[in-house]
Amino acid sequence: MKVFFKQSVAAFCVFYGLTLTSISHAEESHPLAVIVSSNPEVAIIQQLASRELGLIYLRKKQYWQDGIRMRPVNLHAEHPLRLYFSKTVLGSLPNEQADYWNGLYFHGTTPPYSVQSEEAVLRYVSNTKGAIGYIGACKLDERVRPVLWIIDNTISTSKPALNCLP
């Protein structure tokens, strides 16, 4: 029994250490851009208040001003940018949000759609009416438009200085 306990504690410490390493790696990397489509037929908003972002991703706010359903998209739960986004915007890591989502599920509310890569976020946001997502700021292209920035654990409306060299 003691061996099992020690192994469990060791496994937890390794997992926790890897999670913190992933988060700090994301924090040390480039800022995140919160994005909407640049296509006027798909894009819903021109600007977004930073305080609204958490409400959107917790599904407490589900419709844009014109009545179009919000379609937030997340990177997968282990992605370093998702960990950084969740910690900064929602105040907790994805694995800590399970009880929250389980409770909402029984009321018909599902978590944001989840994809595997930043390219998938770009495609989803650029082609889905009402979509909002986030990517590394250096991945921005003409398909999307940033509405907020996340840098140094802060949500901002001001574009940060970007250093996108490889």
Side-chain angles (χ1 to χ4, degrees):
M1 185 70 169
K2 281 186 175 182
V3 172
F4 176 74
F5 179 74
K6 286 181 182 179
Q7 289 174 340
S8 296
V9 170
F12 175 77
C13 290
V14 168
F15 173 76
Y16 189 72
L18 290 174
T19 300
L20 289 178
T21 301
S22 296
I23 292 170
S24 15
H25 175 69
E27 290 173 0
E28 292 168 5
S29 66
H30 303 292
L32 296 182
V34 177
I35 56 172
V36 296
S37 179
S38 61
N39 178 346
E41 295 176 15
V42 177
I44 301 301
I45 61 165
Q46 295 301 314
Q47 60 185 9
L48 180 69
S50 59
R51 68 185 179 284
E52 293 178 283
L53 189 58
L55 298 174
I56 293 168
Y57 273 85
L58 291 173
R59 304 302 295 261
K60 291 181 178 182
K61 183 173 182 177
Q62 295 191 22
Y63 294 92
W64 297 110
Q65 289 177 344
D66 59 1
I68 301 293
R69 182 175 279 283
M70 293 176 169
R71 307 260 183 227
V73 62
N74 265 323
L75 289 162
H76 67 84
E78 293 81 29
H79 195 288
L81 296 182
R82 165 82 179 271
L83 297 173
Y84 177 50
F85 178 87
S86 292
K87 181 180 157 196
T88 302
V89 175
L90 306 176
S92 62
L93 297 173
N95 61 347
E96 297 168 339
Q97 297 164 9
D99 288 340
Y100 175 80
W101 291 114
N102 288 338
L104 286 182
Y105 178 78
F106 293 106
H107 296 286
T109 302
T110 57
Y113 186 60
S114 181
V115 297
Q116 293 297 309
S117 68
E118 290 174 273
E119 177 60 29
V121 171
L122 284 163
R123 289 180 185 180
Y124 182 84
V125 169
S126 65
N127 294 310
T128 305
K129 192 164 191 140
I132 184 168
Y134 56 90
I135 56 172
C138 290
K139 298 282 185 174
L140 285 169
D141 65 25
E142 69 283 346
R143 296 174 286 179
V144 296
R145 185 175 50 79
V147 290
L148 291 172
W149 305 90
I150 300 172
I151 186 165
D152 297 329
N153 300 313
T154 304
I155 304 168
S156 173
T157 56
S158 302
K159 180 179 179 179
L162 298 177
N163 180 7
C164 295
L165 300 174

